[in-house]
Amino acid sequence: MKSPRTVTVHTRDHGPLTLTCPTWCTAAHEDGGHRVDITHTGPDTNLYVPTGRGSVVLAQLVLEQRPFTELPPGPVTFVNVGIGGDFYPSSPAALDRLAEALVDHAATVRATARRLAALRIDRGGR
């Protein structure tokens, strides 16, 4: 396990703040923002799906913590799920619901593939 790093971030509203980053944090922590904007982020995990035009990102998962926020979900560690250009802060329970929905959608995609294959057989492969 990697040891935590310490960084000093110069904020507009609270001056220099020295923080201990979680071991998973890969953020650059740029100076000049507000204290409430400080965010610890981990590396992105992109979920790719194959398409007829190559692989595309279906969703993005980013481990985050915002130690000074008062907005939900608060200063706890969470995963921000990126879908369709928006991000959705998610708890472990929300991620489990997302995984279950993806399993259900996979069953729908498989059933649609079988239906398409049957239609093509009925039409002589077209």
Side-chain angles (χ1 to χ4, degrees):
M1 183 172 192
K2 132 180 150 174
S3 52
R5 68 184 164 115
T6 301
V7 296
T8 299
V9 180
H10 297 271
T11 66
R12 285 189 220 179
D13 53 350
H14 287 84
L17 297 173
T18 300
L19 309 165
T20 300
C21 295
T23 56
W24 47 263
C25 180
T26 59
H29 297 296
E30 296 178 14
D31 292 332
H34 293 91
R35 182 180 77 158
V36 73
D37 297 325
I38 294 172
T39 303
H40 298 297
T41 57
D44 296 351
T45 300
N46 293 320
L47 307 179
Y48 292 94
V49 293
T51 73
R53 291 186 267 167
S55 189
V56 297
V57 175
L58 177 67
Q60 183 181 39
L61 307 174
V62 183
L63 191 62
E64 289 190 24
Q65 181 198 25
R66 299 173 185 167
F68 301 105
T69 189
E70 294 179 15
L71 298 174
V76 300
T77 303
F78 64 96
V79 169
N80 224 348
V81 179
I83 301 173
D86 287 325
F87 280 86
Y88 304 90
S90 300
S91 65
L95 292 172
D96 282 337
R97 289 190 300 274
L98 173 63
E100 186 62 33
L102 290 170
V103 168
D104 292 345
H105 292 319
T108 301
V109 172
R110 284 192 183 102
T112 303
R114 302 305 170 261
R115 181 170 180 230
L116 178 60
L119 289 170
R120 286 186 171 187
I121 290 170
D122 291 344
R123 295 192 57 124
R126 290 188 264 154

